Amino acid sequence: MDPGSPRPFGLKLPGISNLKIPRLSRPAIDRKKALTIAGVAVAVIAVLLVGGFLVTSYLENQQVALFCGHISASEADLFLVHGRISVYMQTPADGLLAAGCDDRMREFAAIARYGRDVTAYHRQIIASDTVPEAYSGAQSAYIRALDRLNHAFSFWSSAATAYDMRDYAAANRNLAEADGAWQEYTAAVAEYDRELRAAEEGAEVPPEQ
Amino acid sequence: MEWKDVIPVVAGAVVILVLALVVKPALLGDPDSPGLASPVYVPPTPAPAPTPFPEDGPVYTRNFRWTAIDGGVHTTEVRIPEALFHAHRGTPRFSDYTSWGLYALADADRPILEDLARRIAPPSTNPDEGYLRLMNLVFFVQQIPYDMDDNTTSYIEGTLPRYAMYMKDGVEYPKYPVEMLVDGRGDCEDSAILMAGLFDALGYDTVLLRYSDHMALGIRMKEFNPYYAKYTPRYFMHDGQHYYYIEGTDFEKQYVSPHSIAIQGKPLAIGNAAGAGIPSVQSETPKIVPLRFVPEPGEYHIRPVRLPAEGA
């Protein structure tokens, strides 16, 4: 071949005429097989859809059940706290001498500490719960209730500390603050009930009175 | 596609479902705050019991000569362990008057006050004598000489106590009841505290009445309005109860004759605030100081809540 020639005229490839183009076999799909494949595909999609729905529903139920269990545990502990408070409040202070008054205030401080610990503990658990969106309002309201109760018990503790320092005016101020926090707790509990009803009935939360 | 090709697909879907529904919840379990224990109630640590005073130790003996409501003159002996007296003298005072009621409730003083109160006002089955018993306690205290806190004569040591409090308008030193008995003198708050201790020992409910420059006692009574009183009994309301004014000082005494040790005076009866002659008592409404500070939260009910319906 002339190296100066740009086009290789007369090029011959040996045996090219012998090449065979592979012959594609025609797919042997009959109607029965096609229907089977389509059916399987539909079945798989249906299984995935139904399974997904079931899983989602199950997980939401699990979340609600867990949330319910945590609220229940919190209420059980708060019931114990309430029992302590009731016994304390029903115990008359008449006739106590100075040491008896101090003992009584130590009991008050211990109840306040217990209430603070219980509310902080359950607040942490319930705040870490993952709940369906419908229940998030109830969850927030319950956490707020625990927070306000925790504040109320903190004020009780401060009142007991003020008593130890014989600053009765400060003790009374703290008790008044505790009453305020307690009222906020009561309001938060009412809001929780409203939110829970709305979550379960799918209704709008009625506006606060 | 054969059925053998479908089976792995279906089996895979089943495995995914089993993983999601069974294995995952089992592995994750209830995330019930791992590492945290549910709080428990920890009862308060009891206060250490005070060291009892030796019964056979040295005592201060004091004799009080006083005139009862019936005009009879009595001498009442009081014996107080020196160790108790000195323990009180070595105790710092509360600067806030709202806690002075605790002095009247001192545990160590109580047996002495109970014994003294029963001797001055012996128990009686006649209810008509109740008023006379109360008045004898009042008269007894009123006849203990008045002396101001900043006078060294108010203390047996002849000096101001270590824990006397120097305020802008003078010295303040509220005495425990037995301190006033040993000193044999005291000022208005000391008298009020001693009366409060004696009345409390007999089961009466009292409060301290705090004026700007004075302190008196209030005793809870119902509709006290004796026909013989030539004054309108003064009372103050506290927690829905009537507390009648009792003056602990201002007993104007004089000897019956120059050579007699018998004294006569003009005691002030329950409710008689007009006779005290103290301007603040006439013009002010006192602050009422209960002997016991009892925390009374207005709100303390924990409200049970409805639980979420499971499987909702």
Side-chain angles (χ1 to χ4, degrees):
Chain A
M1 185 168 66
D2 180 9
S5 172
R7 288 188 290 184
F9 292 111
L11 177 64
K12 274 191 176 181
L13 292 174
I16 195 164
S17 59
N18 297 329
L19 282 177
K20 284 184 180 176
I21 297 172
R23 195 173 151 218
L24 291 174
S25 64
R26 201 176 158 159
I29 300 174
D30 59 15
R31 182 171 295 175
K32 185 181 174 187
K33 282 190 175 180
L35 284 175
T36 303
I37 291 169
V40 168
V42 167
V44 168
I45 291 170
V47 165
L48 288 177
L49 283 176
V50 171
F53 173 76
L54 285 176
V55 167
T56 305
S57 174
Y58 175 82
L59 287 179
E60 286 195 349
N61 282 347
Q62 283 288 96
Q63 288 171 346
V64 173
L66 202 57
F67 178 55
C68 175
H70 290 162
I71 297 277
S72 175
S74 169
E75 289 296 299
D77 276 354
L78 288 177
F79 181 74
L80 296 178
V81 175
H82 184 66
R84 293 271 171 198
I85 297 171
S86 296
V87 169
Y88 175 86
M89 295 301 291
Q90 287 165 12
T91 306
D94 300 343
L96 289 179
L97 296 182
C101 291
D102 291 349
D103 287 346
R104 187 176 162 82
M105 193 48 105
R106 271 195 289 274
E107 174 81 20
F108 185 73
I111 291 172
R113 196 165 46 245
Y114 180 41
R116 227 176 43 213
D117 291 349
V118 163
T119 47
Y121 171 79
H122 287 289
R123 190 230 188 268
Q124 185 181 349
I125 292 174
I126 292 170
S128 67
D129 277 346
T130 304
V131 295
E133 193 179 345
Y135 285 84
S136 62
Q139 183 190 32
S140 300
Y142 194 83
I143 289 170
R144 192 159 50 254
L146 288 178
D147 280 342
R148 300 321 300 164
L149 208 47
N150 185 276
H151 284 168
F153 285 124
S154 295
F155 283 124
W156 280 18
S157 288
S158 299
T161 304
Y163 170 87
D164 286 342
M165 300 170 71
R166 306 300 179 209
D167 188 350
Y168 292 178
N172 281 325
R173 274 197 304 276
N174 278 293
L175 288 174
E177 294 276 2
D179 284 352
W182 213 287
Q183 285 164 3
E184 290 170 9
Y185 152 75
T186 304
V189 165
E191 190 185 340
Y192 162 83
D193 280 335
R194 277 197 307 274
E195 291 282 357
L196 187 60
R197 201 167 56 247
E200 291 173 351
E201 296 173 1
E204 289 292 318
V205 179
E208 281 197 46
Q209 298 282 322
Chain B
M1 178 179 273
E2 302 293 335
W3 278 109
K4 65 181 180 185
D5 299 326
V6 175
I7 289 173
V9 175
V10 174
V14 170
V15 167
I16 289 171
L17 280 176
V18 169
L19 284 174
L21 298 179
V22 180
V23 179
K24 184 190 169 198
L27 285 178
L28 296 180
D30 184 352
D32 213 357
S33 63
L36 278 179
S38 183
V40 293
Y41 174 72
V42 180
T45 309
T51 307
F53 296 103
E55 292 182 6
D56 54 351
V59 296
Y60 288 113
T61 302
R62 296 288 184 267
N63 287 291
F64 292 90
R65 194 174 169 78
W66 59 284
T67 303
I69 190 170
D70 60 1
V73 177
H74 301 264
T75 300
T76 304
E77 183 183 276
V78 182
R79 292 163 60 82
I80 293 160
E82 289 186 14
L84 172 59
F85 173 79
H86 292 295
H88 283 334
R89 275 288 204 258
T91 302
R93 303 293 126 142
F94 308 132
S95 58
D96 184 357
Y97 69 85
T98 58
S99 55
W100 287 358
L102 281 180
Y103 296 124
L105 304 176
D107 294 61
D109 291 15
R110 187 46 62 106
I112 296 164
L113 296 181
E114 282 177 347
D115 174 62
L116 178 59
R118 288 207 180 94
R119 283 190 287 138
I120 295 172
S124 170
T125 54
N126 183 358
D128 294 337
E129 292 182 6
Y131 176 69
L132 304 180
R133 296 173 68 223
L134 291 183
M135 286 310 304
N136 278 339
L137 279 179
V138 174
F139 283 13
F140 172 84
V141 176
Q142 284 180 351
Q143 291 169 59
I144 297 175
Y146 179 88
D147 210 343
M148 295 176 66
D149 283 341
D150 46 10
N151 286 345
T152 56
T153 52
S154 187
Y155 311 98
I156 58 168
E157 301 94 332
T159 57
L160 294 186
R162 176 184 171 196
Y163 289 112
M165 298 178 290
Y166 296 86
M167 317 294 242
K168 62 180 179 184
D169 50 356
V171 172
E172 204 63 273
Y173 184 79
K175 292 179 179 177
Y176 282 88
V178 299
E179 282 184 283
M180 184 171 187
L181 292 171
V182 172
D183 286 332
R185 313 176 81 81
D187 68 356
C188 58
E189 81 262 8
D190 304 327
S191 300
I193 289 168
L194 175 57
M195 276 198 298
L198 289 168
F199 279 126
D200 200 81
L202 292 181
Y204 290 94
D205 179 17
T206 59
V207 294
L208 301 177
L209 302 176
R210 170 74 171 183
Y211 295 89
S212 59
D213 59 353
H214 187 57
M215 185 170 271
L217 192 73
I219 184 167
R220 179 158 64 89
M221 299 175 78
K222 287 182 184 172
E223 302 297 324
F224 174 68
N225 194 12
Y227 66 90
Y228 47 81
K230 296 176 180 173
Y231 57 89
T232 303
R234 181 173 296 180
Y235 64 85
F236 303 96
M237 296 299 292
H238 176 62
D239 283 348
Q241 304 289 340
H242 295 71
Y243 287 86
Y244 285 82
Y245 182 94
I246 303 180
E247 179 55 53
T249 63
D250 216 25
F251 181 75
E252 298 171 7
K253 67 179 180 182
Q254 61 184 28
Y255 290 102
V256 173
S257 65
H259 303 293
S260 171
I261 58 168
I263 57 172
Q264 62 182 18
K266 181 188 165 195
L268 295 170
I270 294 173
N272 186 357
I278 302 169
S280 59
V281 174
Q282 309 304 322
S283 61
E284 296 177 8
T285 299
K287 289 177 179 154
I288 294 179
V289 182
L291 301 189
R292 299 169 177 85
F293 180 84
V294 179
E296 290 176 348
E299 303 275 347
Y300 59 88
H301 287 103
I302 290 177
R303 326 236 166 225
V305 302
R306 191 166 62 83
L307 300 180
E310 292 187 52

